Amino acid sequence: MLESGDLIFVRENTEMGQAIQASTGNYSHVAIFLDGQIYHATVEGGVLSQSSEDFFEAEKVYDLYRYAEIDCTEVKKRAKCHLGAPYNASFYPDGDGFYCSQFIAELLPIFETIPMKFGNDDWEISDFWSEYYRELGFPVPLNQPGTNPSQLAASPLLVCKERNLHDSDF
């Protein structure tokens, strides 16, 4: 089912996942499958590659997308170049390292940046993000140029292959 070049979009119920989804849409994480490994940027490990067994988790839901014109060899070369880069926890465009969608947009330079959102229908900046940035010691980068997983998935250049997959499907 997984093919090299597939983009894996994730929905999750963690506090951070819910805050991202409330602010941006359906997804809280994105990764790419290349030659048997999943490459992504994580809070815990920065940019890394993992086996499918280590990546997929029971509590999460996954959708697979495809960019028809992907050059997997070139994208894998770029992905490997960034292994070990730190996680960009500030989400600022000039922050060190990468957050997940920023990493994918670096590998596949087909996505535009958009003004970043940190609120929901009720608040421009949600309580979660206010607290998150207070602890980081940074102002919330509201409307700074960035990306998010839901925005990448909405690209007309991507085709959805499969929806609502669970760890047991892989």
Side-chain angles (χ1 to χ4, degrees):
M1 160 187 342
L2 272 175
E3 297 174 74
S4 197
D6 283 351
L7 293 169
I8 305 164
F9 289 87
V10 184
R11 290 189 299 269
E12 60 186 312
N13 288 321
T14 63
E15 187 178 16
M16 172 75 89
Q18 290 296 300
I20 293 169
Q21 290 164 197
S23 297
T24 63
N26 293 328
Y27 303 109
S28 56
H29 190 66
V30 59
I32 189 166
F33 182 75
L34 295 163
D35 294 333
Q37 289 290 109
I38 296 170
Y39 293 81
H40 60 132
T42 70
V43 173
E44 302 82 12
V47 175
L48 50 81
S49 68
Q50 291 181 293
S51 68
S52 297
E53 295 79 25
D54 291 335
F55 177 81
F56 292 107
E57 297 177 26
E59 312 79 46
K60 298 177 182 178
V61 178
Y62 305 91
D63 293 348
L64 301 180
Y65 284 73
R66 186 99 187 149
Y67 173 54
E69 297 176 34
I70 191 168
D71 176 346
C72 289
T73 303
E74 183 57 35
V75 171
K76 184 178 177 185
K77 188 177 357 171
R78 278 191 232 139
K80 289 178 96 172
C81 258
H82 295 299
L83 287 175
Y87 184 74
N88 179 0
S90 75
F91 302 102
Y92 273 84
D94 59 352
D96 285 341
F98 298 95
Y99 54 88
C100 68
S101 59
Q102 184 183 36
F103 175 63
I104 297 300
E106 175 74 15
L107 300 182
L108 285 171
I110 60 171
F111 303 104
E112 301 289 327
T113 59
I114 60 170
M116 298 208 329
K117 303 291 178 210
F118 293 88
N120 53 35
D121 294 337
D122 300 322
W123 304 98
E124 185 175 53
I125 299 172
S126 73
D127 290 344
F128 174 90
W129 292 115
S130 292
E131 177 66 17
Y132 179 86
Y133 280 96
R134 191 165 51 64
E135 288 178 15
L136 273 184
F138 290 117
V140 178
L142 187 64
N143 296 320
Q144 289 284 318
T147 59
N148 68 67
S150 298
Q151 170 235 345
L152 269 54
S155 170
L157 300 174
L158 299 185
V159 174
C160 183
K161 284 179 53 176
E162 297 190 55
R163 288 193 187 278
N164 298 318
L165 300 170
H166 298 271
D167 68 317
S168 59
D169 295 319
F170 298 96

